[in-house]
Amino acid sequence: MNEKRWTPYMMNTLLTIALCGAYGFLQGPLSLVLGVLLSALLGVVLYKEHYLLGILNAALVLGIFIFCFDFTLALTNSIPIILLGAALALGTRFKMPVHLLLLLCAGLYMADLMVGMELIEHSSGGEVSIQSIMLESGNMVSEMFVSQYPGPEAEMLEDIIRSAIDLSIMLAPGMFMIISSVFAFVLVVVYKKMMQKNHVDMSFLLPFEQFQAERVISVLYLVLFVIVLSAPSGKFLAMSLNVLLILSFIFIVFGMSVFDNIFKKKGIKKGLRRLVIVLLLIFSNTFLMIPVFAYLICGLLDSFFDYRHLRTKEEQ
């Protein structure tokens, strides 16, 4: 390895060691951010350097985590980071389309989340689970409202809260998949930026303003929507609602891409336009959920009518 390649590798390795050390001392939301950075750095090393150096850095991550945590916790924290880094490197090596790379990373995040919940439930003897946490939170909210609104109003509010808890438990798989997809998207964006800084061609990953759904997915979404309206309650309805929730989120993202493309044509800078789009989504309640429905409808209609003429450009 010549000096020009040795220097960035050493810098990446030192940064990996620093991030692993910080991960060992910091918990909560900061650990999620550090995990994203570690996976992206590992992906860069696995792609750019010799595979033995990539394996060495992966072993380094595992070793530091074993030093900072007990063995089981070290494995459950480090293995997902290593697998995500490997997924990013393989996705770049094989020029994987962005939707497949996002799906792969989201699946790994989802698997990590499920394993973590299983370990928590097992270690607590079944006393702590996602259902028990939701039920406990619902009971606390219910007691708070009952103390403030005694009488018939309290009973009505209690029924509403119980229904909301039941719906949340039923839609938990879909919500977890959405959360995993968001983390996957952030990871791919960070990794793409790092690779571009290292002068690697990442043009095979479509930019956000060119995201678009296929017509087949849109037709399936509409069919599933009709099925959900007519399906009786049960496991089939629960599964259909979770799939519908995930697809709705996907079409909201495609709708955000449509608006991002419109703002780009108006000359608005990328950072500003995406900040506005995300803030409108976050504060949709303030605007009577209008941004959410606008994104969803635009994403759905764009798959049929191709407003941005993306399919025409692809054919050419």
Side-chain angles (χ1 to χ4, degrees), residues 265-290:
K265 290 179 179 178
K266 292 184 179 295
I268 301 175
K269 292 183 178 180
K270 181 168 68 174
L272 178 60
R273 68 177 187 256
R274 292 184 179 174
L275 177 64
V276 171
I277 290 169
V278 172
L279 288 177
L280 284 174
L281 180 66
I282 294 174
F283 297 103
S284 292
N285 290 331
T286 308
F287 303 100
L288 303 176
M289 303 302 291
I290 291 175

Side-chain angles (χ1 to χ4, degrees), residues 146-252:
V146 167
S147 62
Q148 293 181 359
Y149 301 97
E153 293 181 356
E155 295 179 3
M156 182 181 67
L157 287 171
E158 191 173 358
D159 292 337
I160 294 173
I161 292 170
R162 286 178 181 174
S163 300
I165 294 170
D166 293 338
L167 183 62
S168 299
I169 293 173
M170 183 172 63
L171 296 178
M175 291 300 301
F176 289 151
M177 190 62 198
I178 289 173
I179 294 170
S180 300
S181 300
V182 172
F183 278 113
F185 180 77
V186 173
L187 173 62
V188 171
V189 169
V190 172
Y191 171 72
K192 183 179 178 180
K193 294 292 184 184
M194 287 184 179
M195 293 292 277
Q196 288 173 337
K197 290 288 185 182
N198 285 275
H199 309 291
V200 178
D201 181 21
M202 301 296 289
S203 58
F204 66 94
L205 294 178
L206 286 176
F208 180 70
E209 65 268 16
Q210 294 184 19
F211 281 17
Q212 186 180 54
E214 297 292 337
R215 290 192 184 98
V216 175
I217 299 176
S218 303
V219 172
L220 290 174
Y221 177 77
L222 295 174
V223 171
L224 185 61
F225 182 77
V226 174
I227 291 174
V228 166
L229 292 177
S230 57
S233 58
K235 290 185 178 180
F236 178 76
L237 178 61
M239 291 174 59
S240 301
L241 281 172
N242 277 282
V243 176
L244 188 69
L245 178 64
I246 295 170
L247 290 177
S248 297
F249 169 75
I250 292 172
F251 280 111
I252 288 171

